Amino acid sequence: MSKQTDDFFKNVISHAKEYGFVFPSSEIYDGLSAVYDYGQMGAELKNNIKTYWWKAMVQLHENIVGLDSAIFMHPTIWKASGHVDGFNDPMIDNKDSKKRYRADQLIEDKIARYVADGKTDKAAKLQADLDTALSADDLPRLKSLIEEHEIVCPVSGTRNWTDVRQFNLMFSTQMGASAEGAEVVYLRPETAQGIFVNFLNVQKTGRQKIPFGIAQIGKAFRNEVIARQFIMRMREFEQMEMQFFVRPGTELDWYAQWKETRLKWHLALGSDQRKYRFHDHVKLAHYANAAVDIEYEFPFGFKEVEGIHSRTDFDLSQHQKFSGKKLQYFDPEINQNYVPYVIETSIGLDRMFLTVLCNAFEEQNISSEEKQDSRTVLHLHPVLAPVKAAIFPLIKKDGLPEKAKEILKQLQLEHNVIYEEKDAIGKRYRRQDAIGTPFCITVDHQTLQDDSVTIRHRDSMEQKRISISALSSKIAELVSWKNLLEQLL
Ligand code: GAP
């Protein structure tokens, strides 16, 4: 990361805390690594992102329905899905610092340093060696790459490494009252399995015909060994996943369609198209026949925000085998029973939140000939903005607060709006810019005469006079779900 992008990212993180978007969890106890809380603004923004996803997936598609499955599930589910045996990261410890690292990430960091130093041949060779070792699950080879490339522990600076070992990422706990009778259960590492095991329940009770999808938003837990990049890699996070069940043989057409549909969803928020790219998986998981990531260019480089995977019939077949229950569909069009194939779209809500923040954050120079000035502004899409409008009385007397509160009461019925009377008006504008409020409404002495107010637009900072009676429809038009969703059609 260059100094400039490093500073930008640090500023985004401190802004998120200062304005009530994201707090480190348990902060008064010095925090809990890779766990975060969403504050008053963050909770609103997060809910708006969820709503955008839910409306785009469930409301706009006749053949997609929602689900809210439990976090705890029968432990055999995780055996069937492959998570008990295969959901591992290769770890290595430094014996001097006692710090634990992901072996592949240590090597990736070295590759990045080779690239930064212009040693692109060395970088390419190491990348190829890493890929080969990972796909063969060759842990001794990972260690020998660390040794050959003289990778040192960032803390102790030494090369005194342990062997590389597999470390399962699932959190487990016990269910049941007594220690003897207690059963080990897992905190789900993905929401998808809750969808797979409910496939027949939803298909039968909803009388769904293939192709159809099941969408779910919920918490997932992974014991990530390396906490990195703020809310990018967390131990407790949220996923928005959709499994689309299709007839075998049609899956790659649906995969292509879902790739385009999902990218459109991201771009409709007005983000710069150049900041997004597809990254095809070269090495596919054994159950997938196509997989791609949608990556966003964060200050620390292009990283995955969403995955789109063609998972064949792997999950349903595994659950059929482990549960002994048939998970098949009778397709009347071809008069056949089959286990459906699945296209999955899986996006991390917290990563999407970070994408939105990084994309919106600007430290803007607004100096004029008369005065040097700057502001920090979040150019959030109005639909996502935590607060849609702030209402200010110009001063705290002459009946202006009362009039402003009347407007608040009227607008509150439709939108999340707030009232502010503290500090000079300029300061109040800056505070709203910093949380991304698209509109500020000021009640002044003219309001008492002609029932008009000024409305200031966050991005242009332009102010216009408008009658109070027109306010509600003006705001509704600018924060309309309809206008945003229409772009997805
Ligand atoms: N069901 C498929 C699945 O879980 P994944 O690529 O492991 O696939 C999907 O995760 C998405 O979940 C990722 O694209 C990412 O946005 C998010 N995600 C995964 N691990 C995460 C973590 N530790 N912290 C935050 N988000 C995470």
Side-chain angles (χ1 to χ4, degrees):
M1 233 195 300
S2 72
K3 163 105 181 59
Q4 206 182 358
T5 49
D6 191 24
D7 286 350
F8 175 85
F9 193 46
K10 282 189 184 138
N11 292 344
V12 169
I13 296 171
S14 56
H15 189 86
K17 170 147 189 245
E18 188 180 344
Y19 286 92
F21 284 88
V22 182
F23 305 129
S25 159
S26 325
E27 199 185 5
I28 58 169
Y29 292 93
D30 298 331
L32 185 64
S33 174
V35 185
Y36 290 88
D37 297 336
Y38 287 83
Q40 66 282 13
M41 290 302 142
E44 294 287 344
L45 175 55
K46 206 172 171 203
N47 275 340
N48 293 339
I49 297 173
K50 280 190 211 178
T51 306
Y52 176 39
W53 186 85
W54 194 264
K55 282 182 182 289
M57 300 303 264
V58 179
Q59 186 176 315
L60 285 194
H61 291 96
E62 266 179 70
N63 59 351
I64 298 183
V65 292
L67 179 77
D68 184 2
S69 70
I71 286 172
F72 289 133
M73 292 194 269
H74 195 289
T76 309
I77 287 176
W78 303 110
K79 193 85 192 138
S81 68
H83 284 82
V84 170
D85 298 320
F87 195 50
N88 301 317
D89 275 344
M91 306 309 306
I92 191 165
D93 292 16
N94 182 269
K95 292 181 198 162
D96 298 322
S97 67
K98 311 274 185 269
K99 293 276 176 204
R100 179 165 289 175
Y101 300 94
R102 259 179 68 177
D104 56 330
Q105 281 178 356
L106 278 178
I107 298 171
E108 274 170 10
D109 289 347
K110 186 72 180 181
I111 293 169
R113 279 200 297 283
Y114 281 149
V115 171
D117 296 344
K119 298 177 182 164
T120 45
D121 286 354
K122 258 189 149 167
K125 169 85 174 60
L126 182 53
Q127 183 69 61
D129 288 345
L130 172 64
D131 291 347
T132 313
L134 285 177
S135 54
D137 265 339
D138 188 345
L139 303 184
R141 180 63 183 139
L142 287 177
K143 176 155 185 202
S144 73
L145 285 175
I146 288 173
E147 287 171 339
E148 281 164 27
H149 290 265
E150 301 184 347
I151 296 174
V152 296
C153 166
V155 175
S156 67
T158 69
R159 286 190 263 136
N160 194 7
W161 296 111
T162 61
D163 287 340
V164 178
R165 283 161 297 139
Q166 292 289 22
F167 178 85
N168 194 286
L169 296 183
M170 281 198 296
F171 284 103
S172 62
T173 186
Q174 291 185 336
M175 190 174 261
S178 67
E180 306 86 68
E183 185 173 29
V184 171
V185 289
Y186 298 98
L187 297 184
R188 66 182 178 197
E190 62 171 15
T191 60
Q193 297 304 324
I195 295 180
F196 288 121
V197 297
N198 277 296
F199 158 72
L200 264 196
N201 282 339
V202 174
Q203 190 269 320
K204 291 222 157 86
T205 57
R207 294 187 295 142
Q208 298 292 342
K209 287 203 174 65
I210 272 179
F212 79 95
I214 305 178
Q216 162 154 249
I217 300 176
K219 290 270 186 180
F221 305 83
R222 294 182 189 178
N223 196 2
E224 300 283 2
V225 179
I226 306 299
R228 279 194 171 198
Q229 288 142 347
F230 191 37
I231 53 173
M232 189 72 193
R233 189 167 295 284
M234 300 160 84
R235 296 205 165 106
E236 175 180 343
F237 58 102
E238 266 183 276
Q239 288 185 317
M240 306 191 286
E241 299 201 292
M242 193 277 301
Q243 314 298 132
F244 200 69
F245 300 91
V246 303
R247 185 187 293 164
T250 64
E251 72 275 10
L252 291 180
D253 292 337
W254 284 110
Y255 170 75
Q257 277 195 38
W258 276 110
K259 259 177 82 171
E260 295 313 318
T261 305
R262 291 304 305 148
L263 184 61
K264 221 171 173 185
W265 182 87
H266 288 270
L267 296 179
L269 290 174
S271 332
D272 182 350
Q273 186 151 8
R274 287 166 305 179
K275 287 203 162 262
Y276 280 92
R277 71 177 188 195
F278 285 124
H279 177 253
D280 286 309
H281 290 205
V282 184
K283 284 183 317 293
L284 294 171
H286 60 281
Y287 51 79
N289 62 4
V292 69
D293 294 335
I294 295 180
E295 294 187 339
Y296 175 78
E297 189 177 16
F298 290 97
F300 39 86
F302 273 99
K303 295 279 177 238
E304 171 189 352
V305 181
E306 172 158 7
I308 297 150
H309 314 122
S310 174
R311 298 182 67 119
T312 65
D313 59 355
F314 173 77
D315 303 86
L316 289 180
S317 297
Q318 284 292 97
H319 289 308
Q320 203 169 243
K321 188 166 131 199
F322 279 75
S323 68
K325 310 270 166 28
K326 270 205 173 351
L327 293 176
Q328 296 193 351
Y329 172 79
F330 176 72
D331 191 331
E333 280 178 29
I334 54 171
N335 213 20
Q336 260 182 39
N337 270 310
Y338 54 77
V339 178
Y341 272 39
V342 170
I343 305 300
E344 165 183 78
T345 72
S346 173
I347 174 169
L349 175 55
D350 311 83
R351 268 190 209 179
M352 185 59 199
F353 187 101
L354 187 58
T355 307
V356 167
L357 263 195
C358 289
N359 210 45
F361 183 83
E362 188 187 13
E363 286 176 315
Q364 201 177 38
N365 181 355
I366 49 166
S367 301
S368 61
E369 281 182 5
E370 297 87 59
K371 116 168 177 219
Q372 290 287 317
D373 204 358
S374 66
R375 66 172 183 159
T376 303
V377 54
L378 290 186
H379 298 286
L380 295 171
H381 191 292
V383 163
L384 297 189
V387 175
K388 304 304 183 206
I391 301 138
F392 308 149
L394 185 62
I395 52 172
K396 273 196 271 182
K397 56 183 185 182
D398 301 339
L400 302 188
E402 290 74 12
K403 189 73 186 170
K405 281 189 181 156
E406 256 177 47
I407 297 174
L408 177 85
K409 288 257 164 307
Q410 176 200 326
L411 295 180
Q412 252 173 355
L413 296 171
E414 286 176 285
H415 308 290
N416 191 22
V417 290
I418 55 172
Y419 171 85
E420 271 230 53
E421 60 177 25
K422 195 167 170 285
D423 295 323
I425 202 95
K427 255 194 170 172
R428 284 183 257 168
Y429 283 152
R430 292 291 173 278
R431 268 203 301 274
Q432 296 307 316
D433 290 343
I435 58 168
T437 305
F439 312 107
C440 291
I441 296 157
T442 305
V443 171
D444 55 19
H445 291 94
Q446 190 179 329
T447 311
L448 302 180
Q449 288 157 17
D450 65 3
D451 262 349
S452 73
V453 290
T454 62
I455 180 164
R456 172 194 180 264
H457 293 246
R458 175 196 66 203
D459 296 340
S460 64
M461 294 190 287
E462 229 177 49
Q463 294 184 33
K464 290 210 171 109
R465 253 202 124 79
I466 172 173
S467 76
I468 293 176
S469 59
L471 261 182
S472 169
S473 58
K474 182 79 192 158
I475 296 175
E477 175 199 325
L478 295 166
V479 302
S480 145
W481 282 109
K482 182 164 174 266
N483 292 345
L484 177 58
L485 294 176
E486 257 170 7
Q487 293 179 54
L488 305 178
L489 302 178

